[in-house]
RNA sequence: GGCAGGAUAGCUCAGCGGUAGAGCAGCGGACUCAUAAGCCGUUGGUCGCGGGUUCAAAUCCCGCUCCUGCUACCA
């Protein structure tokens, strides 16, 4: 049973919310850092908003262009298309495996994206926000390619450190101009690059500085994450620099003008447009080509961008400037960028190893425990560390022992003692005095502690929901799990396994209440644990999917037949820690 | 260099102006429905260092030390 993605995205009520997720470079598989940084928080947020009845559209796609894809292709002797296709397929499988519920996951290699990009390019050119100028660049004659700054190394003109990159010296921290480097050499071929002039289009970022500052400083951006807001403001106050948005390459979106056949629009300008083109593609595919307006031109829409922190400038400066240039499109409502996830203390990185590859993980373990462990340790305010020891601990102590066991013990006692059905608590009216309909519809007589537990569950929908809405996933998860703890306490206090022998009404009430509390928890935890909560939902005798029932405690009705449950999570042996750490190669 | 975040119990972290908190680990206990899970109690901290503001600071301000990250042409 798959925890289906878009139960309600086609619904016409609720607020339009665009969940935009960073576009992964199609030059390698995805790893845990990608999941914790962008895809998981976006998915949790999207699932929550769908349950609230909002019109969610979750979009992203593979970034098929860019130097790394080309470089990888050359290393393999393959075409960039082949490299991109391979990893695009990998991404799709990974998202399916982890239940990342995109409404559309497309790529930048589509006719639609090229058209949308070229259209915006031409309009910005007409507006004067793009202009043409000559630029002097380093050219690697051996590799036959102009070199991005970071692909050039040499001696730092400030500190004489040999190994400075074209953009920055790692030794003294100075920001460099690639042309200043002494004895430059290409990282691609080790050749000495030569200077060549080339005409390019530039984005007139400097023209947007004031408008961007005003926009960021507006009151409603005070709840942006401090690191996102401060970084952006700092950048704006330091002064923006017009950037070239075209390159002398052949893999990318063509420039829609004559005489530029050897150049392409560069990824950092083009990829962010993907949010818009993906929305348009989705709308067309759903038979309503104008449908994209609901998220992009209706000011009531909310647009949230889930990215890693390295991506902040593109989403809080460059993309907003492009949207301002257009003038009709909504600016980002929030950019809740995450910090980095470190793996046992070292940075997760495609290049440096020490990485948990997601396709690899899925071959050995279930998705929900990973979603849970990452959500519980999500790098929301600062870098967070992932260790396998902590993963096993959270799986065993929190998912198995506290939550899974709660579900299992309640279902088991109930089925054994009440004929496999949800028992009925005693009602307020005593039989004999009234009868028939009056008796059948009288409210249940619940003890104060029963009432208190259900109240606590219901109240948690507000607090936990608010946390999901503010993209504070750790807090949301803590709040929900505390309620699971309260349910365990309640059970111990009421000891229904004893009460069944002496006072069946007492036990009936306890189990009825516990089942209802679990029903609430299933909904509350569903955004984080979509697979296992769906199973728990079915164990409770509910029909359909968790998501469709909405953001509220769905009542478990007395008399409902309970199917035979199975364990939601499996306990992991401690040996997993050593095995996986060996695999990490740390 | 600039900027940001962090430094709190053995471990992972929360608290961010009002007598130090959680989970795990450790110790003790009562129970036994459950994937030997759950529940109750308990040991344990001069809240990185030095100043300052305040009736009151882990919490605000200044300085310092250490760690991590970002620094827009590898998105």
């Amino acid at each position: 049973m798959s925890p289906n993605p878009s139960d309600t995205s086609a619904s016409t009520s609720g607020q339009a919310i665009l969940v935009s997720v960073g576009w992964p470079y199609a030059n390698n598989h995805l790893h845990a850092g990608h999941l914790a940084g962008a895809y998981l928080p976006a998915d949790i947020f999207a699932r929550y908003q769908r349950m609230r009845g909002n019109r969610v559209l979750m979009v992203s796609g593979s970034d098929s262009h860019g130097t790394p894809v080309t470089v990888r292709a050359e290393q393999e002797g393959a075409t960039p298309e082949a490299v991109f296709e391979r990893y695009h397929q990998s991404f799709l499988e990974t998202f399916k495996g982890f239940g990342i519920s995109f409404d559309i996951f497309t790529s930048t290699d589509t006719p639609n994206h090229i058209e949308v990009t070229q259209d915006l390019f031409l309009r910005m050119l007409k507006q004067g926000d793009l202009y043409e100028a000559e630029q002097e660049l380093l050219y690697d004659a051996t590799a036959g390619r102009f070199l991005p700054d970071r692909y050039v190394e040499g001696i730092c003109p400030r500190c004489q450190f040999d190994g400075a990159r074209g953009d920055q010296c790692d030794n003294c921290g100075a920001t460099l101009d690639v042309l200043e480097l002494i004895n430059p050499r290409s990282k691609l071929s080790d050749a000495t690059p030569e200077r060549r002039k080339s005409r390019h289009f530039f984005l007139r970022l400097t023209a947007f500085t004031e408008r961007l500052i005003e926009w960021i400083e507006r009151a409603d951006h005070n709840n942006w994450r401090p690191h996102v807001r401060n970084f952006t403001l700092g950048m704006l106050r330091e002064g923006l620099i017009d950037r070239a948005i075209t390159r002398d390459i052949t893999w990318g979106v063509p420039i829609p003008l004559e005489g530029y056949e050897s150049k392409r629009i560069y990824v950092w300008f083009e990829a962010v447009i993907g949010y818009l083109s993906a929305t348009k593609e989705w709308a067309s595919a759903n038979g309503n080509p104008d449908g994209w307006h609901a998220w992009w031109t209706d000011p009531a829409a909310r647009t949230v961008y889930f990215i890693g922190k390295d991506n902040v400038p593109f989403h809080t400066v460059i993309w907003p400037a492009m949207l301002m240039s257009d003038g009709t499109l909504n600016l980002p409502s929030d950019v809740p960028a995450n910090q980095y996830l470190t793996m046992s203390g070292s940075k997760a990185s495609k290049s440096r190893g020490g990485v948990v590859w997601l396709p690899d993980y899925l071959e050995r373990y279930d998705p929900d425990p990973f979603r849970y462990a990452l959500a519980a340790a999500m790098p929301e305010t600062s870098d967070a560390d992932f260790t396998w020891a902590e993963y096993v601990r959270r799986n065993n102590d929190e998912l198995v022992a506290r939550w899974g066991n709660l579900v299992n013990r309640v279902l088991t006692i109930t089925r054994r003692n009440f004929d496999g059905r949800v028992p009925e608590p005693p009602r307020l009216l005593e039989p004999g005095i009234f009868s028939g309909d009056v008796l059948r519809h009288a409210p249940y007589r619940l003890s104060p502690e029963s009432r208190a537990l259900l109240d606590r569950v219901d109240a948690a929908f507000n607090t936990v929901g608010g946390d999901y809405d503010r993209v504070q996933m750790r807090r949301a998860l803590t709040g929900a799990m505390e309620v699971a703890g309260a349910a365990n306490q309640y059970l111990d206090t009421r000891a229904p396994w004893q009460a069944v022998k002496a006072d069946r009404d007492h036990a009936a009430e306890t189990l009825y209440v516990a089942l209802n509390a679990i029903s609430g928890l299933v909904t509350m935890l569903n955004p984080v644990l979509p697979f296992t909560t769906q199973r728990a939902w079915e164990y409770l005798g509910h029909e359909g999917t968790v998501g469709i029932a909405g953001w509220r405690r769905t009542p478990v009705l007395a008399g409902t037949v309970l199917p035979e449950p199975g364990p939601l999570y499996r306990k992991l042996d401690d040996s997993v820690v050593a095995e996986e750490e060996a695999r990490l190669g740390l």
Side-chain angles (χ1 to χ4, degrees):
Chain A
M1 180 77 229
S2 88
N4 68 77
S6 28
D7 272 343
T8 56
S9 66
S11 112
T12 50
S13 63
Q15 186 182 20
I17 300 179
L18 185 71
V19 180
S20 302
V21 200
W23 292 50
Y25 240 148
N27 72 332
N28 211 334
H29 299 287
L30 296 173
H31 57 61
H34 290 113
L35 193 58
Y39 305 105
L40 181 56
D43 186 62
I44 293 170
F45 182 78
R47 287 176 184 275
Y48 165 71
Q49 298 296 355
R50 288 184 191 115
M51 280 200 274
R52 292 305 304 238
N54 291 320
R55 302 165 64 192
V56 172
L57 190 70
M58 180 167 163
V59 304
S60 185
S62 293
D63 186 343
S64 51
H65 306 312
T67 315
V69 178
T70 323
V71 169
R72 172 139 199 153
E74 277 174 17
Q75 285 167 351
E76 294 181 0
T79 61
E81 287 90 338
V83 170
F84 146 68
E85 279 296 346
R86 183 196 320 148
Y87 293 111
H88 183 67
Q89 283 311 310
S90 166
F91 295 168
L92 291 172
E93 283 162 27
T94 295
F95 294 141
K96 188 177 178 204
F98 280 101
I100 304 301
S101 56
F102 282 111
D103 292 286
I104 177 169
F105 186 83
T106 177
S107 84
T108 55
D109 193 43
T110 68
N112 169 69
H113 177 71
I114 292 169
E115 187 188 322
V116 173
T117 299
Q118 293 181 336
D119 176 60
L120 185 60
F121 177 95
L122 289 175
R123 276 186 293 135
M124 288 181 68
L125 186 64
K126 206 168 172 183
Q127 292 263 75
D129 294 326
L130 297 182
Y131 63 91
E132 214 184 344
E134 192 160 76
Q135 193 180 22
E136 192 169 31
L137 296 163
L138 291 182
Y139 183 83
D140 180 336
T142 311
R145 177 165 334 121
F146 280 96
L147 294 166
D149 289 354
R150 294 202 188 188
Y151 278 66
V152 182
E153 273 184 354
I155 297 171
C156 173
R158 313 281 163 81
C159 71
Q160 311 303 313
F161 171 71
D162 189 5
R165 289 183 323 226
D167 59 329
Q168 184 185 29
C169 173
D170 280 337
N171 189 50
C172 69
T175 304
L176 304 176
D177 185 319
V178 67
L179 299 175
E180 300 176 324
L181 273 186
I182 300 163
N183 290 339
R185 57 185 179 275
S186 166
K187 282 174 93 170
L188 294 181
S189 68
D190 231 30
T192 301
E194 58 194 67
R195 292 180 175 211
R196 277 202 197 180
K197 289 186 176 172
S198 183
R199 290 196 73 76
H200 282 292
F201 287 92
F202 285 73
L203 170 59
R204 203 183 298 279
L205 271 179
T206 44
F208 294 91
T209 308
E210 281 182 26
R211 274 182 283 171
L212 286 166
I213 290 177
E214 272 172 42
W215 171 64
I216 291 285
E217 283 185 337
R218 274 213 307 267
D220 55 325
H221 293 142
N222 282 336
N223 22 359
W224 277 33
R225 294 189 177 171
H227 73 267
V228 175
R229 193 169 183 274
N230 292 341
F231 173 80
T232 306
L233 277 173
M235 204 173 139
L236 291 168
R237 286 172 182 151
E238 266 177 45
L240 299 176
I241 299 166
D242 290 351
R243 293 293 185 182
I245 59 147
T246 52
R247 291 290 185 282
D248 293 280
I249 49 176
T250 53
W251 174 238
V253 175
I255 297 165
L257 296 168
E258 300 245 336
Y260 293 91
E261 288 70 21
S262 65
K263 300 176 197 290
R264 293 292 182 272
I265 298 174
Y266 198 53
V267 278
W268 67 252
F269 179 85
E270 166 248 304
V272 286
I273 299 174
Y275 301 119
L276 176 61
S277 61
T279 309
K280 290 184 170 178
E281 183 182 335
W282 176 88
S284 293
N286 281 271
N288 180 14
D290 288 331
W292 63 276
H293 283 284
W295 289 277
W296 286 96
T297 59
D298 182 343
R302 189 171 163 197
T303 55
V304 185
Y305 293 76
F306 292 85
I307 55 167
K309 64 174 158 184
D310 53 331
N311 238 325
V312 169
F314 298 96
H315 291 78
T316 63
V317 175
I318 292 172
W319 180 228
M322 292 165 67
L323 292 167
M324 284 174 176
S325 174
D326 173 275
T328 64
L329 302 170
N330 289 327
L331 295 170
S333 310
D334 194 6
V335 184
N338 270 348
Q339 309 267 354
Y340 278 147
L341 184 73
T342 56
M343 305 300 297
S344 302
S346 73
K347 184 187 166 188
S349 142
K350 283 184 177 181
S351 50
R352 282 190 242 166
V355 167
V356 177
W357 297 105
L358 299 179
D360 211 30
Y361 172 94
L362 287 171
E363 283 179 14
R364 297 193 292 286
Y365 307 103
D366 296 327
D368 274 0
F370 207 51
R371 290 178 61 111
Y372 181 86
L374 292 180
M378 203 166 261
E380 293 172 341
T381 55
S382 61
D383 291 352
D385 195 42
F386 174 90
T387 62
W388 282 98
E390 187 67 357
Y391 167 82
V392 169
R393 209 222 87 222
R394 286 201 189 272
N395 179 76
N396 291 352
D397 293 349
E398 298 181 17
L399 287 179
V400 174
R402 193 189 308 176
W403 163 236
N405 182 52
L406 169 68
V407 175
N408 193 242
R409 69 198 294 215
V410 170
L411 287 169
T412 306
I413 315 171
T414 307
R415 280 169 46 87
R416 273 191 203 149
N417 295 288
F418 289 90
D419 228 12
R421 289 168 183 273
V422 178
E424 178 152 55
R427 293 181 185 274
L428 273 174
L429 301 175
E430 295 299 328
I433 302 173
F434 297 97
S435 63
D437 279 355
V438 176
L439 181 58
R440 272 196 294 278
H441 295 294
Y444 294 134
R445 188 187 63 213
L446 298 183
S447 64
E449 66 266 24
S450 294
R451 198 62 261 167
L453 179 64
L454 293 178
D455 285 348
R456 175 146 186 202
V457 172
D458 292 339
F461 274 90
N462 287 326
T463 54
V464 172
D467 291 334
Y468 282 136
D469 191 63
R470 286 187 293 275
V471 198
Q472 298 185 345
M473 306 314 179
R474 303 173 72 143
R475 187 184 288 272
L477 198 47
T478 304
M481 289 303 283
E482 275 172 4
V483 176
N488 275 322
Q489 287 169 9
Y490 169 81
L491 277 183
D492 268 71
T493 307
R494 305 264 312 179
W497 51 90
Q498 287 176 341
V500 282
K501 299 168 197 158
D503 183 350
R504 279 185 74 79
D505 275 356
H506 187 275
E509 176 190 332
T510 305
L511 295 169
Y512 170 85
V513 167
L515 287 165
N516 274 280
I518 289 169
S519 181
L521 280 163
V522 162
T523 297
M524 233 178 277
L525 288 168
N526 177 64
V528 177
L529 302 169
F531 295 94
T532 51
T533 52
Q534 179 59 36
R535 279 174 49 211
W537 178 260
E538 287 157 20
Y539 294 156
L540 291 172
H542 291 318
E543 301 287 323
T545 62
V546 185
I548 208 120
W551 188 248
R552 70 185 73 84
R553 175 166 59 86
T554 299
V556 179
L557 302 176
T560 303
V561 174
L562 295 169
E564 184 170 353
L568 294 174
Y569 310 95
R570 61 194 172 103
K571 195 162 179 179
L572 295 171
D573 192 85
D574 283 342
S575 63
V576 164
V577 177
E579 259 170 51
E580 293 300 333
E581 284 188 343
R583 210 182 283 270
L584 273 178
L586 291 174

